[in-house]
């Protein structure tokens, strides 16, 4: 009997050891999973850098790149010091009361999301905490992405300091408010109206796109963009191959962006012990994402190609394909993702042309690709995903996806983007901090504002006064 008891004790100890090892393995998997999303999302910024520099004329190449670099740099500390706190503090709205899931409200945010005091244990090195840093990093890159979306629309005429202020307002406040309301288990848009936006088509892309629209109204068009009769001139960038390559890099980075939207299983903060979930607690798999992302990319490219035959709009169509399906990538079957993305590729250029006819000079089509198509994707989920759970909960109690809720969400995302974009840029305009002087714009921002030249040996021969034999 004693031998049998000793054998049982040994087996229990062995099982406990296996369980402890499995727990460590899962923690390392979860930490590594989100850690890898961060460099993948930085590829998005490499893409925006190339995309916008290629879309700029020679005289403005570096100034466009500098804006992207500064947007990234300023976003990290501002999101650290107050953006992350806003996300956890205000899902239920003002005054920041706790939500039903118990993971929101001012008191909760103060305890986990401040870089000083007791909550600093979650906002700095702590070997007992393998989650907070990588979660913060992924969200900070979401924030930086919103600023980069706005950046492309305003190239070649915006002041650098004014742009940085706008980027901070967008990435560390406006977008974060939308995320708290619509991308959090306690968010009032989710709990009251069943808003579901898994891949952030509305709360990242639409918010950033319509923030950019508000800025563009006050910023005005580039010199030479419009004629006296209102007709528009095409202002070509200096390097279409660089722009198209940049767009492809953004597509690569999207895999990290959407991967970071998945909550891995088996942790104390996970929704489930045995399966991954969305941020709303509804089930999802990386396998489903693989099917749908690939079909969305292809659908968007094909739709844009059929209408335009233009490589810029084809690659923009790839972005539109992903954005139009992003809200429901956890729900759609691949054929549905392809159809929605294809339709987004078809409507993309006509929507951009409609905006241009209203006197808006969006240099890269960001308002349309991210704003219009983002809202299109949010509403489409209300049509094709109606009845699916919007939030994890007991059957019959959890809110479900519905068309009216998605429309309400789309309206809120539009306002959360457009209103602060217009208001802050209007103030900057009144202070003389929004647009560069006319002379600087004509001369080129690189030499006036950077100052450096992107292509110092790229001056055309006639401008160098060379004789035919030289």
């Amino acid at each position: 009997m004693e031998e049998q008891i000793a054998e049982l004790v040994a087996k229990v100890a062995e099982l406990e050891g296996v369980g402890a090892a499995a727990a460590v393995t899962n923690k390392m998997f979860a930490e590594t999973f989100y850690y890898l999303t961060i460099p993948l999302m930085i590829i998005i910024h490499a893409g925006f850098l190339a995309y916008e520099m290629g879309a700029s004329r020679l005289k403005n190449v570096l100034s466009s790149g500098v804006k992207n670099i500064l947007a990234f740099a300023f976003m990290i500390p501002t999101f650290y010091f107050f953006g992350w706190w806003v996300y956890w503090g205000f899902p239920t709205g003002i005054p920041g009361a706790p939500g039903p899931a118990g993971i929101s409200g001012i008191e909760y945010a103060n305890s986990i999301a401040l870089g000083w005091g007791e909550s600093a244990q979650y906002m700095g090195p702590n070997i007992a905490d393998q989650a907070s840093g990588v979660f913060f990093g992924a969200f900070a890159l979401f924030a930086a992405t919103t600023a980069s979306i706005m950046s492309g629309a305003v190239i070649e005429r915006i002041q650098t300091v004014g742009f940085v202020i706008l980027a901070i307002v967008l990435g560390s406040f406006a977008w974060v408010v939308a995320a708290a309301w619509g991308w959090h288990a306690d968010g009032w848009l989710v709990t009251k109206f069943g808003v579901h936006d898994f891949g952030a088509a509305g709360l990242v892309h639409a918010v950033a796109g319509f923030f950019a629209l508000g800025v563009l109204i006050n910023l005005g068009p580039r010199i030479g963009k419009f004629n006296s009769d209102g007709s528009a001139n095409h202002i070509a960038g200096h390097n279409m191959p660089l722009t198209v390559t940049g767009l492809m890099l953004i597509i690569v980075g999207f895999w990290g962006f959407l991967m970071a939207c998945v909550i891995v299983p088996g942790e104390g903060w996970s929704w489930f012990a045995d399966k991954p979930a969305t941020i709303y607690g509804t089930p999802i798999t990386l396998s489903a994402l693989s099917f749908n992302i690939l079909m969305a990319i292809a659908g968007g490219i094909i739709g844009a190609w059929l209408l335009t035959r233009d490589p810029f709009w084809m690659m923009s169509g790839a972005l539109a394909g992903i954005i139009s399906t992003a809200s429901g990538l956890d729900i759609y079957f691949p054929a549905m993702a392809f159809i929605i993305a294809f339709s987004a590729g078809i409507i993309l250029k006509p929507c951009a042309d409609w905006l241009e006819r209203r006197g808006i000079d969006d240099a890269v089509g960001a308002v349309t690709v991210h704003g219009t198509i983002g809202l299109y994707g949010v509403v489409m989920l209300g049509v094709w995903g109606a009845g699916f759970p919007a939030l994890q909960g007991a059957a019959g109690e959890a809110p479900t996806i519905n068309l009216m809720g998605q429309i309400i969400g789309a309206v809120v995302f539009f306002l959360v983007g457009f209103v602060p974009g217009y208001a802050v840029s209007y103030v900057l305009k009144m202070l003389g901090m929004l647009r560069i002087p006319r002379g600087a714009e004509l001369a080129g921002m690189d030499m006036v504002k950077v100052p450096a030249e992107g292509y110092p040996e790229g001056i055309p021969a006639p401008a160098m006064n060379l004789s035919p034999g030289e």
Side-chain angles (χ1 to χ4, degrees):
M1 177 67 74
E2 291 180 359
E3 292 179 358
Q4 291 174 327
I5 291 173
E7 185 177 347
L8 286 171
V9 169
K11 287 183 177 179
V12 168
E14 182 181 351
L15 289 171
E16 287 177 344
V18 170
V24 170
T25 300
N26 193 79
K27 283 186 182 298
M28 286 301 300
F29 167 74
E31 185 177 27
T32 304
F33 180 91
Y34 295 108
Y35 188 82
L36 291 176
T37 67
I38 297 169
L40 280 172
M41 281 194 278
I42 289 175
I43 293 174
I44 292 176
H45 297 278
F48 274 117
L49 192 70
Y51 168 40
E52 293 175 28
M53 288 197 296
S56 299
R57 288 166 287 184
L58 278 174
K59 62 183 181 179
N60 297 315
V61 170
L62 292 183
S63 66
S64 294
V66 164
K67 286 196 299 80
N68 273 276
I69 296 168
L70 289 176
F72 181 87
F74 275 93
M75 203 52 52
I76 305 305
T78 56
F79 190 76
Y80 178 88
F81 284 115
F82 61 89
W84 194 224
W85 180 84
V86 170
Y87 176 74
W88 294 105
F90 295 98
T92 60
I94 298 172
I103 51 173
S104 63
I106 297 295
E107 185 176 347
Y108 184 80
N110 288 343
S111 70
I112 68 158
L114 292 175
W116 55 86
E118 289 297 317
S119 70
Q121 63 182 305
Y122 302 106
M123 297 297 286
N126 181 350
I127 60 171
D129 178 8
Q130 293 178 249
S132 297
V134 288
F135 272 137
F136 163 80
F139 267 78
L141 265 293
F142 291 141
T145 298
T146 63
S148 290
I149 290 169
M150 185 262 293
S151 173
V154 299
I155 58 173
E156 301 197 302
R157 69 244 197 232
I158 195 168
Q159 289 213 36
T160 302
V161 174
F163 168 78
V164 168
I165 292 170
L166 289 164
I168 292 170
V169 172
L170 170 57
S172 289
F173 179 71
W175 164 75
V176 192
V177 170
W181 291 352
W183 213 32
H184 189 293
D186 280 342
W188 66 268
L189 284 174
V190 182
T191 58
K192 294 183 182 299
F193 298 104
V195 170
H196 191 89
D197 190 15
F198 161 72
L203 55 92
V204 165
H205 296 283
V207 168
F210 288 110
F211 187 99
L213 177 61
V215 175
L216 287 170
I217 291 172
N218 288 311
L219 182 64
R222 289 167 289 179
I223 294 171
K225 175 62 179 178
F226 294 105
N227 301 311
S228 58
D229 63 357
S231 60
N233 299 307
H234 176 59
I235 300 178
H238 83 285
N239 193 330
M240 177 64 78
L242 184 62
T243 292
V244 174
T245 301
L247 284 163
M248 182 61 83
L249 287 173
I250 295 171
I251 298 298
V252 174
F254 254 110
W255 291 86
F257 184 104
L258 294 166
M259 175 181 168
C261 299
V262 175
I263 306 298
V264 300
E267 292 299 305
W269 40 262
S270 303
W271 284 94
F272 302 111
D274 58 347
K275 54 182 174 286
T278 68
I279 207 160
Y280 306 105
T282 52
I284 190 175
T285 65
L286 293 178
S287 178
L289 284 184
S290 298
F291 278 120
N292 287 335
I293 295 171
L294 288 171
M295 291 291 272
I297 293 169
I301 291 173
I302 293 170
W305 171 73
L306 286 175
L307 193 72
T308 70
R309 302 296 197 272
D310 184 321
F312 172 80
W313 288 107
M314 287 166 61
M315 286 310 304
S316 295
L319 281 181
I322 295 179
I323 294 166
S324 65
T325 57
S327 294
L329 284 170
D330 56 321
I331 290 172
Y332 294 139
F333 274 80
M336 179 58 68
F338 181 86
I339 291 168
I340 294 171
F342 177 83
S343 67
I346 289 286
I347 68 173
L348 185 60
K349 183 64 164 56
C351 288
D353 290 343
W354 182 90
L355 190 66
E356 187 174 76
R357 288 194 296 270
R358 268 93 198 135
I360 301 297
D361 180 14
D362 179 357
V364 297
V367 175
T368 302
V369 174
H370 299 274
T372 305
I373 299 300
L375 293 191
Y376 177 72
V378 171
V379 174
M380 282 297 99
L381 180 60
V383 175
W384 305 111
F388 281 88
L391 179 69
Q392 175 65 23
E397 296 179 8
T400 57
I401 297 168
N402 63 93
L403 179 58
M404 184 54 65
Q406 294 300 106
I407 291 173
I408 290 171
V411 171
V412 171
F413 296 147
F414 170 84
L415 293 173
V416 169
F418 180 80
V419 172
Y422 182 87
V424 176
S425 62
Y426 181 81
V427 172
L428 291 172
K429 181 180 179 180
M430 294 299 101
L431 295 174
M433 298 174 63
L434 185 61
R435 183 160 183 152
I436 62 170
R438 178 181 175 85
E441 184 175 349
L442 290 172
M445 293 179 66
D446 284 2
M447 289 305 296
V448 175
K449 294 290 184 180
V450 178
E453 291 179 276
Y455 300 94
E457 298 177 1
I459 303 172
M464 297 169 64
N465 298 317
L466 297 178
S467 65
E470 293 182 68

